Amino acid sequence: MESTLKQSKATHTQHVDHSLSPVELDATPSARRSSDLSSATSPNQVLAIVSVGMILANLDLFIVNVGLPNIALDFANPSLERLSWILNGYTITYAALLVFFGRLSERYPRNVSFLVGIGAFTAASAACAAATSTEMLIVFRVVQAAAAALMTPTSLGLLLSAFPPEGRSGAVRTWTAVGGLAAALGPVIGGVLVTASWRWIFLVNLPLGLITLVVGWRKLPRVPGHNSAHPDFGAALLVTAGVASLVLAIVKVNDWGWHSPGIGAACAATVIFLGWFVAHCLRSSAPFIDPHLFRIRPFTGAALAIAPFSAAFGALLLSIVLWDQMIWGWSALKIGLAMAPGPLLVPVISLLFSRRLIAQFGAAAVSAVGIISFALGQVWWSVVPGLEASFLAATFGMLPIGLGVGLALPTLMGVSTSSLPPSSFATGSGAINMIRQTGIAIGVALLVAIVGVPHEVAEWVQAFRVAWWVMAAITLIGLVPTLLLIRPRPTRAPVVSE
């Protein structure tokens, strides 16, 4: 049986059949047409070009981390809570607009949308480098995030259109591994650039963006859009306001107190905005996120596992940078070098070992091992490092983290996207990335709330250790959907009547 979400909406009686394979789902005319159009450029060339978009989008998620102290010195030492909005302003906007631009891009050629996103991101990066205040930097980071939100779903749409069904899962793992490597290398590259000036963490995007514009214009295949419902910008505003109010409540709970009117108002706004958003998705004829996506068991399992993993990932990278700077007094360059082994493991594990491990043990088992390894890395940081600085302890503590990211994140992303019907490549990938970025924003907010503003070094140490234990526990929550929803259902042997 051939099933797409568009057909499901039209009939209101058909549902997405999670048992269908990507090969069966690829029988749609639009998928065949896109595949033909990509014949002039090899799939691997398309992968290389669109991966640059993931590098730019993900690198800027965390490259700012090591630059925060230098930014604070230039901008009259704002608080950690205020500085955190330079990070979370990006992640919240990125998360909220991923689906919106994913839906919008379906109406236009994907290659054009991708190049527009690259151009806007490059221009916004130049504006970030020229910022003269915290508020100005936050605003330009929001613009940068909006451009990244256009690049991500269109890059994945180009990628999935270029590869045959049997190659999509591996291509997505590579695409995700490149993005994960860029995110994890953010503090490393930032540490090198900050030695010159924190503004270089944004200026570095300019040559990469300009080269991608030229090569992409010449080489990317034209993947045409199709008539689809216009995305609801109001729904994008609802989810943005809901996530932003939730993050505000988390980061302000120490300053305002649990029972303060401000926290109560932020929590109420979160419930209202997100509740309204869910009601829209359930009732609208053209929902912002189609609820039928979550009838696909692997997609739902991957989404529920990625959310806590991403929260811990966002908090962990920032916490290690802050620990190394505040407790051990390291320079940004030394921090980047100490963190390097973890990020370098990500592509090695994902590209060289994941495919064989998945073929032998299954995606659920590989993801579960990655989740456990990532949690063990956080336990290491909560137990081993002390007041005395140790480059060896910091370096060794990054190894289970890199192993965990390399095994879990690309595998979960591959499971989620390869289970989607062709008509939902852009929106489905946008939804899963929206969940991922929302998790990162919430994780950073939780870290800021737990660490707070201690007055003594001993208080800092205790706060960081509590944060790492909390994030390890949050990470392990992802084991439940991984093992229940991603693991294939056992097949019963047929009963033979005598």
Side-chain angles (χ1 to χ4, degrees):
M1 181 186 70
E2 193 174 274
S3 174
T4 65
L5 295 182
K6 187 180 289 186
Q7 291 171 325
S8 176
K9 291 180 191 177
T11 62
H12 295 282
T13 58
Q14 294 177 318
H15 304 298
V16 174
D17 186 352
H18 57 260
S19 64
L20 289 178
S21 69
V23 176
E24 293 171 307
L25 288 167
D26 193 60
T28 61
S30 61
R32 290 195 301 268
R33 185 170 61 250
S34 297
S35 179
D36 293 339
L37 286 166
S38 64
S39 59
T41 304
S42 73
N44 286 332
Q45 287 177 321
V46 174
L47 172 60
I49 295 169
V50 301
S51 291
V52 176
M54 284 300 290
I55 291 172
L56 290 171
N58 285 277
L59 185 65
D60 271 56
L61 280 171
F62 298 106
I63 196 171
V64 180
N65 289 358
V66 295
L68 288 180
N70 300 68
I71 294 171
L73 289 175
D74 269 9
F75 296 158
N77 288 308
S79 65
L80 177 60
E81 174 267 318
R82 192 174 175 189
L83 287 171
S84 71
W85 285 101
I86 298 175
L87 305 177
N88 276 345
Y90 184 96
T91 51
I92 292 170
T93 305
Y94 187 28
L97 293 181
L98 273 169
V99 176
F100 176 78
F101 282 130
R103 292 283 299 275
L104 188 65
S105 66
E106 289 180 347
R107 301 169 60 89
Y108 305 98
R110 305 288 171 82
N111 56 316
V112 175
S113 299
F114 175 75
L115 294 174
V116 169
I118 290 285
F121 189 92
T122 304
S125 297
C128 286
T132 57
S133 67
T134 307
E135 292 76 15
M136 186 181 296
L137 182 55
I138 292 171
V139 169
F140 290 142
R141 286 278 285 170
V142 167
V143 177
Q144 198 182 36
L150 177 58
M151 287 190 300
T152 302
T154 51
S155 69
L156 189 56
L158 286 165
L159 180 66
L160 294 175
S161 297
F163 277 82
E166 63 274 11
R168 285 176 187 154
S169 183
V172 170
R173 282 198 303 272
T174 302
W175 179 82
T176 306
V178 170
L181 174 64
L185 277 176
V188 182
I189 298 173
V192 175
L193 296 174
V194 166
T195 58
S197 169
W198 66 263
R199 299 182 188 276
W200 276 102
I201 62 181
F202 298 108
L203 290 174
V204 71
N205 295 328
L206 272 61
L208 192 57
L210 292 173
I211 292 171
T212 306
L213 278 173
V214 174
V215 175
W217 182 260
R218 295 181 60 187
K219 299 293 292 182
L220 281 178
R222 185 179 185 276
V223 180
H226 58 269
N227 291 328
S228 61
H230 198 282
D232 190 336
F233 186 65
L237 291 179
L238 285 176
V239 73
T240 303
V243 175
S245 58
L246 174 60
V247 169
L248 177 66
I250 294 172
V251 299
K252 282 294 188 181
V253 69
N254 287 326
D255 292 342
W256 295 350
W258 281 105
H259 302 291
S260 67
I263 294 297
C267 291
T270 300
V271 173
I272 291 171
F273 289 134
L274 294 184
W276 194 351
F277 174 75
V278 172
H280 154 80
C281 292
L282 293 175
R283 297 177 182 177
S284 175
S285 59
F288 194 76
I289 296 178
D290 197 320
H292 286 91
L293 285 172
F294 295 95
R295 296 183 181 179
I296 306 172
R297 281 174 58 89
F299 180 88
T300 302
L304 294 176
I306 282 173
F309 190 92
S310 298
F313 181 77
L316 181 71
L317 286 187
L318 178 59
S319 66
I320 293 174
V321 170
L322 294 176
W323 172 277
D324 290 348
Q325 288 175 333
M326 297 176 179
I327 306 300
W328 289 348
W330 284 0
S331 67
L333 179 58
K334 190 172 184 178
I335 294 170
L337 294 174
M339 296 180 70
L344 292 176
L345 264 180
V346 175
V348 174
I349 297 298
S350 177
L351 301 180
L352 299 183
F353 298 102
S354 287
R355 178 175 296 183
R356 282 180 288 177
L357 291 172
I358 292 170
Q360 185 171 357
F361 301 105
V366 172
S367 299
V369 171
I371 289 170
I372 293 171
S373 178
F374 189 74
L376 289 175
Q378 294 166 92
V379 172
W380 168 273
W381 278 93
S382 66
V383 173
V384 176
L387 289 175
E388 185 177 350
S390 172
F391 193 87
L392 181 62
T395 303
F396 190 82
M398 293 303 300
L399 297 181
I401 292 168
L403 176 64
V405 173
L407 288 175
L409 189 57
T411 304
L412 291 171
M413 289 293 292
V415 167
S416 67
T417 52
S418 62
S419 64
L420 293 171
S423 61
S424 300
F425 283 158
T427 53
S429 64
I432 205 74
N433 277 289
M434 173 183 171
I435 292 168
R436 181 182 169 193
Q437 303 308 327
T438 300
I440 290 173
I442 292 173
V444 169
L446 285 172
L447 175 70
V448 172
I450 294 171
V451 171
V453 189
H455 300 288
E456 304 291 337
V457 173
E459 294 178 357
W460 277 106
V461 172
Q462 183 60 27
F464 276 111
R465 287 178 173 166
V466 170
W468 285 321
W469 277 111
V470 169
M471 291 305 159
I474 289 174
T475 301
L476 292 175
I477 293 173
L479 286 175
V480 178
T482 297
L483 298 177
L484 291 182
L485 297 177
I486 296 177
R487 175 171 292 179
R489 291 175 173 175
T491 57
R492 296 182 179 180
V495 178
V496 180
S497 59
E498 296 182 359

